[in-house]
Amino acid sequence: MAERALITGITGQDGSYLAELLLAKGYDVIGMVRRSSTVNFERIAHIQDQVRFAPGDLLDEVSMIEILRTYRPAEIYNLAAQSFVQTSFSQPVLTGETTALGVTRLLDAVRLVDPEIRFYQASSSEMFGKVKEVPQTETTPFHPRSPYGVAKVYGHWITVNYRESYGLHATSGILFNHESPRRGMEFVTRKISHAVARIKLGLTDELRLGNLDAKRDWGFAGDYVDAMWRMLQQGEPEDYVICTGETHSVREFCQLAFDHVGLSWEDHVVIDESFMRPAEVDLLVGDASKAETDLDWTPQTPFGDLVRLMVDADLDLLEGRLRGLA
């Protein structure tokens, strides 16, 4: 019988790549989706008929218990969250309910229904925030700089707590920024790639951004979901930093993206104070040595390739739309 996995957040960037990976490995994939009129299946449209969907909500523990009793997954990947840092400043309570307490509800459902289930929690480099050391490892102290980062710290530590208290195979992957053509438009990388495509096609002529000096460790989401799966195949549950070990600024991302289509970024980028965060994270760059040693995992997609991949995908998307209008 095929292994069965439950993915929360299956309609998101990571959920869609993880679902593809698990299906390719022969898994029976269950995707948890909220009962709402706004569920967007765009990212998983091409595999929608291969996945079974279960209604559930991280705000409602009973719905999680029901899903686990009905489908009996061997593995759970908790990727659902209010995942946009900027939004967490304007919706801090909702962010805490889903991104922090939602983890507890799901872990508690595992404890009650089947403690043998292997559990993956999506932790984040935003937990490091005001960084205490460079690069960041599994032992670097946390100092989150946003309600999102704070909520992720709670989710991380409650996962450790359930592992130690109840003997669960519960693992956190501390993932640094990971991007793709499936990234939401609200994230700066996708905002850049989409704007570059629009500017190249003559649909607009400017891109408004906040802090160009912010630096991140950016990888490809398709590489990172492989690390998630590898974590749950380990004999003992541990936490892992997943990253490229390289840091690049928003300015560099802009320059590469505009260069790729033969334009100069300085001619089109406008600094807009409204996009500045109340508290900025300065330098996030990780060290994935433990993942390389234990999981035999290394990132496969160089930074320049990632930028070009995203720009090309947005050019294809917009050109397709324009052809449809013609």
Side-chain angles (χ1 to χ4, degrees):
M1 199 174 103
E3 283 272 38
R4 184 170 295 163
L6 171 69
I7 304 174
T8 74
I10 192 168
T11 60
Q13 168 187 255
D14 293 8
S16 67
Y17 281 111
L18 180 62
E20 284 177 350
L21 177 81
L22 295 179
L23 287 168
K25 291 182 181 295
Y27 276 70
D28 177 12
V29 177
I30 314 298
M32 189 181 92
V33 290
R34 281 182 296 172
R35 282 196 196 280
S36 86
S37 58
T38 56
V39 176
N40 183 353
F41 290 97
E42 183 183 342
R43 294 185 182 95
I44 54 170
H46 61 297
I47 53 171
Q48 205 169 325
D49 60 345
Q50 300 172 62
V51 174
R52 288 189 286 168
F53 296 98
D57 197 314
L58 289 177
L59 302 182
D60 177 22
E61 187 171 335
V62 173
S63 70
M64 318 261 209
I65 292 170
E66 195 59 38
I67 289 173
L68 299 194
R69 281 181 177 158
T70 302
Y71 294 98
R72 296 286 172 174
E75 299 173 0
I76 294 175
Y77 297 86
N78 182 35
L79 310 184
Q82 190 299 99
S83 60
F84 187 44
V85 173
Q86 195 73 31
T87 300
S88 77
F89 285 101
S90 57
Q91 298 183 352
V93 176
L94 175 67
T95 301
E97 283 286 357
T98 54
T99 308
L101 290 176
V103 186
T104 314
R105 296 185 189 102
L106 191 45
L107 282 165
D108 216 43
V110 171
R111 178 182 69 85
L112 291 168
V113 177
D114 181 4
E116 294 302 306
I117 293 171
R118 295 191 171 203
F119 179 87
Y120 172 84
Q121 166 58 15
S123 287
S124 166
S125 60
E126 289 287 333
M127 301 189 305
F128 296 121
K130 192 177 172 70
V131 298
K132 304 293 189 227
E133 60 186 12
V134 178
Q136 292 90 53
T137 71
E138 292 80 6
T139 58
T140 302
F142 301 136
H143 186 146
R145 297 275 280 171
S146 65
Y148 170 76
V150 172
K152 280 293 186 183
V153 169
Y154 178 98
H156 180 85
W157 281 117
I158 202 69
T159 302
V160 172
N161 183 256
Y162 269 68
R163 177 169 76 212
E164 294 177 353
S165 300
Y166 304 111
L168 301 186
H169 193 295
T171 291
S172 285
I174 306 172
L175 271 57
F176 280 66
N177 292 61
H178 45 290
E179 318 299 317
S180 77
R182 300 179 194 172
R183 195 54 144 152
M185 291 290 185
E186 67 272 30
F187 291 87
V188 68
T189 50
R190 184 70 194 287
K191 184 178 173 181
I192 293 169
S193 66
H194 197 252
V196 166
R198 284 177 57 82
I199 290 167
K200 179 63 177 176
L201 296 173
L203 300 173
T204 188
D205 64 354
E206 74 170 26
L207 165 59
R208 304 183 81 82
L209 293 172
N211 182 9
L212 296 185
D213 296 318
K215 292 182 177 177
R216 294 290 183 275
D217 182 327
W218 275 305
F220 173 51
D223 295 341
Y224 285 31
V225 297
D226 177 53
M228 299 177 188
W229 176 78
R230 288 171 187 249
M231 286 178 216
L232 292 200
Q233 313 317 307
Q234 299 302 297
E236 295 297 322
E238 293 187 39
D239 304 324
Y240 294 92
V241 163
I242 302 298
C243 61
T244 68
E246 296 179 8
T247 187
H248 299 277
S249 66
V250 174
R251 182 180 281 102
E252 281 180 79
F253 198 106
C254 273
Q255 183 172 353
L256 277 172
F258 278 99
D259 283 354
H260 184 52
V261 296
L263 296 172
S264 171
W265 71 271
E266 290 104 327
D267 294 339
H268 302 282
V269 174
V270 178
I271 304 300
D272 187 333
E273 295 290 329
S274 70
F275 292 118
M276 298 289 190
R277 290 185 189 176
E280 179 59 88
V281 173
D282 301 314
L283 178 57
L284 289 175
V285 57
D287 176 355
S289 300
K290 183 181 175 185
E292 185 172 354
T293 302
D294 293 5
L295 308 178
D296 192 27
W297 180 89
T298 51
Q300 301 299 306
T301 310
F303 177 68
D305 289 359
L306 172 65
V307 176
R308 290 184 283 272
L309 174 76
M310 292 179 67
V311 172
D312 286 343
D314 274 324
L315 279 168
D316 288 347
L317 178 74
L318 290 168
E319 285 171 343
R321 285 182 187 166
L322 289 172
R323 280 195 298 272
L325 293 172

